[in-house]
RNA sequence: GCUGCUGUAGCUCAGCCGGUAGAGCGCGUCCUUGGUAAGGACGAGGUCAUGGGUUCAAGUCCCAUCAGCAGCUCCA
């Protein structure tokens, strides 16, 4: 007999070999039908496995039945759905190689290696085959094999990727588990639903490339994405949510509302801010600037380029070379010599090619007439570098910090003037790989609301604290109050970081202490730190539940060292300051892009590009409309008048579609009384009121930076737990 | 950067098996002068992304380039 404890505390005795499903059946047939998996002693497992496999001994086995109501069950079912999909693909495309098929936040995917190029046109066929499999409701049967047998078995199945995975990724597993579904068998840790009939409402969503084991140099696979839910209603709600997110796409809204433009003629990833988008940005910038002045920051301006040497000193140039625009050389042979050095370093330069390079360099005026092809690579590089260092070389700045460091260094500093806080909306350029570009969210030229704080070691925690407070304040001002903080620490086993262990430990401890003291919830992530120091990032959730990385605060003990920064302490001796990098918004491009999606283009009054539109009821009221427009403009509002000879209905419709917060309908009745009939974009007609009253009302809304409405998501279905555990 | 898909009027898109281009919205003109989400008529507008190729003939088929999209990988 086995003793089993249920969640309500009751304990029952069952015979050996009893499964969770049996227990469910004992309680009720309905419950058994809804049981998808089980949580046994805290572990999520198949409902069809004998309970004694998970425990025993003196303590009763703790059992929780997972039904279609539990989010954990959803993840199990989705993983089973991935198997069903894989089975369908195998049927339609025999010989398909299976890679990984895990669950995701809202669904699942499976990576395949197959000849046929999957496309959306294949989806109906695959889905139909999946439905057939689901209807048959065959059980998922689990079995285990010792590793050598498992390898032989996979080989027999022709699944070479699985063989490789057992030999590498699962090298320390003595036995491997498999799940069988009729003719389909897959290496899998599980757990799975009892039978395929538990996979209810599903839909294939997209197909895309993916790398085998996430390695960009590895084999390219085809990844089929799907979503699955326990009810068609949940599926429908989720698809609507996807549709909602699509409608909020800042690229779509940005075009509709004329906020920004990306022109291939200017270049990919280079944002053109149209007048309306520029207004939003400049209001945000003005807002921040005022806050910074109050908080003891000093505005500075620095150029868009700087000498490459400066970025070599800072470490940015060598470290991020491949993500930067190439250096600008004054000498026309500069690029050539630069490429030459890189080829030599990579060892990809043959003698004939090098001879031609040398000839070309001489032709362009370099003193390499006596170039010795037989010299060692080191000697060659040294000679080329010597030449290169004599040239004027500039970099489009990828970071503002080195420039700000120079401002700090421009005069001797006393401890009395610290902290020095230098702030700039600094535009930086990064040559992001073409596939990474995305509207305003990932661009090649971006403006950071940047600042660098130079302070003493004793001041670090206070400055960090004040910075966190600032970020919180600005996020609150735009109505973003749902966020968490991610503390990014170094990976102790990696060598990509600069600076000593002691300094890193000190920096990480400081950040942790301030976050803890401030009572801010944070999660610590190892290996996520920048190469020069740990950082705290604000992960902000928007109104439809998506998370965005915006503001960041980073501690840096490295740059002061590299640039030899100093201040004179009370002991009249030089000391090294500490630097803090921080950007509450991150970049203006990304932040505004995010705001567009968050508000679905309907900015709160204080940010709206056009705040009020005056709508004359007919041409006869044009004159009065102009007067009203003037009144609003004089009161500081961004206002226009719709002078078209259209009906009011049409004018209202257009203003609504343009997300203009307020409309002032004016006709003869209003003119008579010096009034407007105010219409609120959200509430509709507010009735007639004197112009003064309308102005006062809206001024108050601007002053308080009220955020009146963000669209609520209709989507409430629980998000399944992201699960590494189903990773194979 | 990699894999796949896409590129037709200002915007959203249709255009079959190759035969010289279409809709709605927007825009212009005129009529209409109206009170809270689309009044009507007429009209203008296209090197079918770019460059090659196949063909009697290419928006349509092939190749390359550029750009965009999805995902992967990356992100100071």
């Amino acid at each position: 007999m086995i003793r089993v404890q249920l969640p309500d505390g009751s304990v029952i005795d069952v015979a050996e070999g009893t499964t969770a499903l049996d227990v469910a059946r004992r309680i009720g047939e309905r419950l058994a039908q809804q049981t998808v998996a089980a949580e046994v002693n805290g572990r999520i497992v198949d409902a069809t496995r004998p309970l004694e496999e998970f425990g025993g001994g003196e303590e009763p086995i703790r059992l929780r039945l997972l039904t279609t109501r539990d989010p954990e069950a959803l993840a199990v079912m989705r993983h089973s759905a991935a198997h069903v999909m894989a089975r369908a693909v195998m049927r339609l495309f025999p010989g398909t190689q299976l890679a990984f098929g895990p669950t995701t936040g809202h669904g699942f995917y499976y990576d395949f290696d197959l000849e046929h190029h999957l496309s959306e046109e294949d989806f109906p066929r695959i889905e139909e085959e999946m439905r057939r499999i689901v209807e048959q409701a065959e059980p998922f049967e689990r079995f285990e094999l010792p590793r050598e047998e498992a390898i032989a078995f996979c080989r027999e199945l022709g699944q070479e990727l699985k063989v490789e995975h057992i030999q590498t990724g699962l090298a320390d597993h003595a036995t491997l588990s498999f799940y069988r579904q009729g003719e389909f068998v897959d290496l899998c840790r599980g757990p799975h639903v009892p039978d395929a009939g538990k996979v209810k409402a599903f839909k294939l969503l997209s197909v895309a490339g993916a790398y085998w084991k996430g390695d960009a140099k590895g084999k390219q696979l085809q990844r089929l994405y799907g979503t699955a839910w326990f009810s068609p209603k949940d599926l429908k709600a989720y698809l609507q949510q996807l549709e909602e997110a699509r409608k909020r796409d800042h690229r779509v809204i940005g075009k509709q509302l004329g906020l920004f433009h990306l022109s291939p003629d200017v270049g990919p990833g280079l944002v053109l801010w149209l007048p309306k988008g520029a207004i939003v940005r400049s209001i945000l910038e003005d807002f921040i600037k005022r806050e910074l002045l109050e908080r003891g920051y000093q505005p500075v301006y620095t150029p868009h380029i700087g000498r490459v040497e400066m970025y070599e000193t800072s470490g940015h140039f060598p470290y991020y070379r491949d993500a930067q625009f190439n250096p600008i050389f004054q000498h026309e042979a500069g690029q050539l010599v630069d490429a030459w050095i890189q080829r030599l370093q990579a060892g990809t330069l043959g003698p004939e090619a090098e001879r031609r390079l040398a000839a070309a360099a001489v032709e362009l005026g370099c003193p390499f007439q006596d170039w010795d092809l037989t010299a060692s690579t080191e000697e060659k590089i040294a000679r080329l570098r010597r030449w290169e260092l004599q040239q004027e070389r500039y970099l489009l700045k990828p970071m503002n910090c080195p420039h700000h460091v120079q401002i700090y260094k421009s005069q001797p500093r006393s401890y009395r003037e610290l902290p020095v806080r230098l702030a700039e909306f600094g535009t930086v350029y990064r040559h992001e790989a073409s596939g990474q570009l995305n509207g305003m969210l990932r661009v090649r030229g971006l403006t950071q609301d940047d600042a660098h704080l130079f302070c003493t070691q004793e001041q670090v925690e206070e400055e960090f604290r004040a910075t966190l407070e600032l970020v919180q304040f600005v996020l609150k001002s735009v109505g973003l109050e749902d966020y968490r903080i991610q503390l990014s620490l170094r990976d102790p086993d990696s060598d990509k970081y600069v600076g000593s262990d002691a300094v890193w430990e000190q920096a990480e401890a400081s950040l942790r202490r301030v976050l803890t003291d401030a009572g801010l919830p944070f999660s610590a992530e190892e290996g996520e730190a920048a190469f020069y120091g740990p950082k705290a990032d604000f992960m902000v959730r928007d109104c439809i539940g998506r998370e965005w990385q915006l503001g960041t605060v980073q501690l840096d003990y490295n740059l002061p060292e590299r640039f030899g920064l100093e201040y004179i302490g009370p002991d009249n001796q030089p000391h090294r300051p500490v630097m803090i990098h921080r950007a509450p918004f991150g970049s203006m491009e990304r932040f505004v892009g995010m705001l567009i999606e968050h508000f679905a283009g309907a900015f709160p009054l204080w940010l709206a590009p056009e705040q009020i539109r005056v709508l004359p009821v007919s041409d006869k009221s044009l004159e009065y409309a102009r007067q009203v427009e003037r009144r609003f403009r004089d009161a500081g509002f961004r206002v226009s008048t719709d002078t078209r000879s259209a009906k009011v209905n049409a004018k209202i419709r257009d203003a609504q579609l343009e997300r203009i917060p307020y409309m002032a309908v004016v006709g003869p009745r209003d003119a008579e009384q010096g009034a407007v009939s105010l219409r609120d974009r959200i509430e509709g007609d507010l009735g007639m009121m004197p112009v003064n009253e309308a102005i006062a009302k809206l001024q108050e809304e601007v002053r308080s930076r009220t955020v009146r409405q963000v669209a609520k998501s209709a989507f409430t279905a629980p998000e399944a737990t992201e699960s590494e555990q189903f990773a194979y």
Side-chain angles (χ1 to χ4, degrees), chain A residues 613 642 644 649-659:
Chain A
R613 183 169 292 175
D642 188 340
R644 297 173 304 171
N649 276 341
K651 295 180 184 176
I652 287 171
R653 179 167 193 273
D654 289 344
Q656 287 282 148
L657 291 177
E658 285 179 58
R659 277 83 149 179

Side-chain angles (χ1 to χ4, degrees), chain A residues 71-96:
Chain A
E72 298 97 322
L74 202 46
V76 173
M77 184 273 281
R78 284 174 180 158
H79 185 49
S80 300
H83 274 227
V84 169
M85 180 174 76
R87 188 178 177 190
V89 170
M90 289 288 283
R91 279 185 183 177
L92 295 169
F93 308 100
T96 297

